[in-house]
Amino acid sequence: MALLTLPRSLPLTFPPFHFFSPRRTTRPSFVCSLSSGTGPTKSGSAILWFKHDLRLDDHPALVAAAETHRSVLPLYVFDHRILSRYSDEMLELVLFALDDLRNSLKEHGSNLMIRFGSAESVITELVKEVKATDVFVEEEVEYEMRQMIGVVKDTLEMSSSVDGNPDIVMWRTPFYDVQNLKDLPATYNDFKKLKLPPTSPLPPATLPAVETELNWGPLPTFSDLKEFIREKPGISNESWSLMKEMPVEAILKEKLSKPSGTSRNSLDVKRIEKRKLDKSVFVTQKGNIVGGGTGSVLNGLAAYLRYLEGTARDDWQEVHERLRTAETRDGASFTSLFGSALCLGIISRRRAHFEAITYEKERNGGFLSPFGYSAATVAAAADAVCSMEVIPASHWIFSSPLFVTDQGPPLLFQYTVVGNEGPATLLVHGFGAFLEHYRDNINSIAESGNRVWAVTMLGFGKSEKPNVMYTELLWAELLRDFIIEIVGEPVHLVGNSIGAISPGYFVAIVSSIWPTLVKSVILINSAGNVIPGYSSQRISNERRTSGAARLGAQLLLFYLRLNIRNIVKNFYPTSYDPGVSVVLESIFSFDLSIPLNYLLEGCEEKVIIIQGMKDPLLDSKAKLAMLKEHCAGLAIRELDAGK
């Protein structure tokens, strides 16, 4: 995986990443971290804007605002820009978390204000109503969210009805004892050498009451919330949104099978019926992820960590059952079960880490072993939250979230865009690279009258590397979601890779399954075979493997996993990020059995094949001969090049 770490500088010819730049303000904004204010108590009031921090526990801004202001107004805004990135199950979690947050605030003598609309309009009106001198808001890594905070700043500055231009107080919950996240080393390996200690979580603050009589607003039902989201202006192609509701595996089964009268609904995964427990931490309809308020999530975490001990408690037994189902690979169950709660800030990452380490010390007489953790669940929790923290912090990426699994939180990935008008072109890098793969092409394509997007696929470069099962279908769904949610129009799709494993193949899958999203396709040294006479009957037979073949594959994979550290070091000496080996292992489980001629069937007239004739891992002449014979209509270009 070449260049999986953040480069200290990029070539001047490469378009800049869209890092968020704070706008100039008449009064300076500032960032608070762990420590609360130590100056004299202000006479004014403050607004605390909750977004992805739906808790009272371990909330530095809440502590600082309570100590430095006479009145604090907690606020949550149902803003389309935030809600649009959530699945239905995540929206359910939001409602459960807000209900718990409101009740917790009431127990502390306060309340939670609920408002609908754009955050800038809501906050501007409330600043005027309560005469707020400060607005506390959590600092974001994601580009669109940082943009939205900037819009709030600008709106407050330009509003003639706001007196004094209140400060925007940016805050964060530092996981490590470091003052400036941007000063962290560029590589994870160098970061580990610093041996920074994790900081400790804060207890809930004592809140001052709001002095003004206010309309706090009702918490909506799920149906109300869905109706509000459907009213979002600008959504013109509802069929595009429906594309995301059916897993790609189901579409392929339907496409590759003979018509049998089976309805689409019959392909949906059946919901697992579960007992309704009074203290269940699985609060959503699907019941796949841990949710509720902070207390509920901490209860689920306690059960998760104590998996090896067993329990007579029904609610903990339920967690253990879900854990076994979610453990698709070592440690994957933690993010699967708790990732959404961490994404919404129902508990903080350092609280999760603190609970895991505290339990580990309990198991070891108050000490931590230098040889690793004593329980797999402790290791999964501690490793997951540490990797979640360091990658976004050290990379400070221009990114956006997309869902890549049926359950769990959206995951951050990196992309850039060049050009303001013209046809949309999406560039997809090769395996082991990232978007800088196109550093010598992207500007010239944009200058010729195109709006050019380049994306770093999940698991590579400065995108997140979650502990999930990476497949060719998962990456194809990521491309689909990117086109729908980020680009918003059909694209000219370019996929590049050399050798057997290729995002060019993922591009072919997208063009085959979702043709309305793709104007044209350019495949550069793409993977995939050409199989004459390919049919649905043949696919069912070819996908079967003998027991001996499966055993051989498992033994090979076992050997490679044992030697993965040396393999990574030899091929990709700068690859140190957590999760790199998980992504690399995926190359041994890809299924490229659907041939290119089948995937490109029906869209040959809009496909260009570019093949480097010196590709050392492919018989280029033989492949092009097969493509010319069995894929009429393809435009083929031969290059005197390889890698």
Side-chain angles (χ1 to χ4, degrees):
M1 285 175 198
L3 298 175
L4 279 175
T5 55
L6 175 67
R8 296 190 181 277
S9 61
L10 293 173
L12 295 178
T13 57
F14 189 72
F17 298 124
H18 293 248
F19 294 105
F20 177 83
S21 299
R23 295 164 172 79
R24 293 186 177 273
T25 58
T26 55
R27 300 178 65 191
S29 301
F30 61 94
V31 175
C32 69
S33 54
L34 179 63
S35 59
S36 59
T38 57
T41 301
K42 294 184 179 180
S43 59
S45 62
I47 293 175
L48 180 59
W49 176 19
F50 286 95
K51 300 190 312 300
H52 302 127
D53 51 323
L54 306 182
R55 64 184 186 273
L56 299 188
D57 176 75
D58 194 25
H59 201 298
L62 197 60
V63 174
E67 291 185 358
T68 58
H69 291 79
R70 187 177 63 201
S71 176
V72 177
L73 173 63
L75 168 69
Y76 185 86
V77 183
F78 284 97
D79 188 303
H80 281 117
R81 290 165 292 184
I82 299 176
L83 301 175
S84 63
R85 56 202 65 221
Y86 294 154
S87 67
D88 284 355
E89 193 163 17
M90 284 284 284
L91 290 174
E92 287 184 79
L93 284 192
V94 170
L95 293 177
F96 279 110
L98 290 177
D99 183 56
D100 180 83
L101 179 60
R102 170 171 273 188
N103 291 332
S104 298
L105 285 167
K106 288 180 179 179
E107 292 174 1
H108 285 75
S110 184
N111 204 334
L112 177 66
M113 177 164 285
I114 302 293
R115 289 290 183 269
F116 287 79
S118 67
E120 57 270 23
S121 299
V122 169
I123 291 175
T124 300
E125 290 301 316
L126 286 176
V127 164
K128 177 183 177 182
E129 185 174 356
V130 302
K131 297 180 173 55
T133 59
D134 292 300
V135 177
F136 286 79
V137 55
E138 185 178 18
E139 191 171 19
E140 299 280 355
V141 173
E142 181 200 333
Y143 174 70
E144 284 82 1
M145 292 299 296
R146 291 164 73 86
Q147 268 195 323
M148 186 170 69
I149 294 172
V151 172
V152 172
K153 289 182 183 181
D154 288 348
T155 304
L156 287 173
E157 290 174 13
M158 295 184 295
S159 177
S160 59
S161 62
V162 175
D163 296 329
N165 287 334
D167 280 330
I168 299 292
V169 184
M170 304 286 288
W171 70 275
R172 56 178 171 257
T173 308
F175 190 86
Y176 296 103
D177 188 10
V178 58
Q179 295 299 317
N180 189 349
L181 297 178
K182 295 182 181 180
D183 292 337
L184 289 175
T187 70
Y188 182 66
N189 190 56
D190 290 337
F191 171 81
K192 288 195 299 183
K193 294 177 182 177
L194 297 179
K195 297 182 179 179
L196 296 172
T199 55
S200 300
L202 298 174
T206 301
L207 296 175
V210 176
E211 299 173 348
T212 308
E213 289 293 330
L214 298 170
N215 175 15
W216 294 96
L219 188 65
T221 65
F222 180 75
S223 298
D224 293 337
L225 190 55
K226 289 292 291 182
E227 183 63 30
F228 172 72
I229 294 173
R230 281 193 290 267
E231 294 172 355
K232 177 183 178 181
I235 297 180
S236 57
N237 194 342
E238 186 176 355
S239 63
W240 278 30
S241 299
L242 295 176
M243 289 181 187
K244 298 170 57 180
E245 295 185 3
M246 193 173 191
V248 64
E249 295 94 335
I251 298 175
L252 280 174
K253 286 180 182 178
E254 189 176 72
K255 185 174 177 132
L256 294 172
S257 301
K258 294 179 180 179
S260 60
T262 303
S263 66
R264 173 167 292 193
N265 290 335
S266 67
L267 294 173
D268 292 340
V269 178
K270 294 182 179 179
R271 294 180 178 178
I272 300 175
E273 294 295 330
K274 63 184 181 68
R275 292 179 298 157
K276 298 296 182 181
L277 304 175
D278 292 338
K279 296 182 180 180
S280 175
V281 299
F282 298 95
V283 294
T284 65
Q285 289 294 316
K286 288 185 177 180
N288 291 325
I289 50 183
V290 174
T294 301
S296 175
V297 175
L298 287 175
N299 179 42
L301 180 59
Y304 180 86
L305 295 172
R306 290 160 177 80
Y307 173 70
L308 293 180
E309 295 182 8
T311 180
R313 293 178 51 171
D314 287 348
D315 56 334
W316 283 22
Q317 288 180 6
E318 187 182 29
V319 173
H320 295 170
E321 291 172 4
R322 294 293 190 277
L323 185 161
R324 289 189 286 270
T325 302
E327 192 74 352
T328 54
R329 52 173 299 109
D330 293 344
S333 57
F334 178 78
T335 300
S336 178
L337 297 179
F338 295 93
S340 297
L342 289 168
C343 175
L344 296 176
I346 301 173
I347 63 170
S348 67
R349 292 172 184 167
R350 65 182 181 186
R351 172 60 72 184
H353 184 268
F354 177 83
E355 296 297 327
I357 297 302
T358 298
Y359 174 65
E360 177 68 8
K361 289 180 178 179
E362 290 176 0
R363 289 175 55 87
N364 294 282
F367 298 96
L368 292 178
S369 170
F371 303 106
Y373 298 109
S374 63
T377 50
V378 174
D383 292 345
V385 294
C386 288
S387 63
M388 287 177 190
E389 184 70 20
V390 69
I391 293 179
S394 61
H395 289 166
W396 208 256
I397 53 180
F398 164 56
S399 57
S400 191
L402 286 182
F403 284 92
V404 294
T405 56
D406 294 336
Q407 60 190 55
L411 298 166
L412 289 171
F413 69 99
Q414 182 199 36
Y415 70 94
T416 190
V417 57
V418 179
N420 298 317
E421 57 184 6
T425 301
L426 176 57
L427 308 177
V428 185
H429 61 81
F431 193 88
F434 69 124
L435 59 79
E436 198 179 353
H437 201 145
Y438 292 100
R439 61 188 177 275
D440 296 328
N441 312 102
I442 192 168
N443 279 323
S444 59
I445 297 174
E447 289 169 359
S448 63
N450 298 281
R451 191 161 51 104
V452 186
W453 308 77
V455 61
T456 296
M457 300 295 285
L458 196 73
F460 301 104
K462 287 163 276 185
S463 291
E464 280 196 65
K465 302 171 183 65
N467 189 359
V468 299
M469 187 65 69
Y470 293 90
T471 68
E472 71 285 354
L473 301 183
L474 181 144
W475 275 310
E477 288 184 334
L478 175 66
L479 291 178
R480 173 202 65 190
D481 291 357
F482 183 84
I483 297 170
I484 292 173
E485 296 187 15
I486 306 300
V487 181
E489 63 179 273
V491 300
H492 297 284
L493 196 52
V494 181
N496 173 274
S497 191
I498 295 176
I501 306 303
S502 168
Y505 188 77
F506 312 155
V507 164
I509 293 175
V510 174
S511 65
S512 174
I513 297 179
W514 304 288
T516 58
L517 301 180
V518 181
K519 288 183 177 179
S520 68
V521 178
I522 299 177
L523 300 180
I524 307 173
N525 287 21
S526 176
N529 298 318
V530 177
I531 302 178
Y534 184 84
S535 67
S536 59
Q537 182 65 35
R538 186 164 184 170
I539 184 69
S540 63
N541 292 328
E542 287 193 353
R543 284 178 179 259
R544 294 196 186 104
T545 55
S546 66
R550 285 196 297 271
L551 177 60
Q554 290 299 319
L555 290 174
L556 176 60
L557 184 57
F558 179 70
Y559 168 78
L560 290 169
R561 282 177 174 168
L562 288 178
N563 294 275
I564 199 72
R565 185 179 299 274
N566 291 331
I567 292 173
V568 172
K569 185 175 180 180
N570 290 336
F571 280 91
Y572 312 112
T574 60
S575 300
Y576 296 109
D577 287 353
V580 165
S581 60
V582 175
V583 184
L584 187 60
E585 287 173 10
S586 67
I587 67 176
F588 307 114
S589 60
F590 283 158
D591 184 356
L592 307 182
S593 61
I594 304 177
L596 273 180
N597 55 302
Y598 182 86
L599 292 174
L600 300 179
E601 191 176 65
C603 58
E604 292 91 346
E605 298 298 328
K606 61 179 184 181
V607 177
I608 299 177
I609 300 288
I610 299 177
Q611 181 64 47
M613 302 309 293
K614 295 181 179 179
D615 182 348
L617 301 179
L618 188 69
D619 186 346
S620 300
K621 291 183 178 179
K623 181 170 185 177
L624 290 185
M626 292 292 287
L627 285 169
K628 291 175 181 178
E629 181 179 356
H630 300 286
C631 299
L634 291 181
I636 297 177
R637 301 289 184 269
E638 299 180 13
L639 297 181
D640 185 26
K643 294 185 178 180

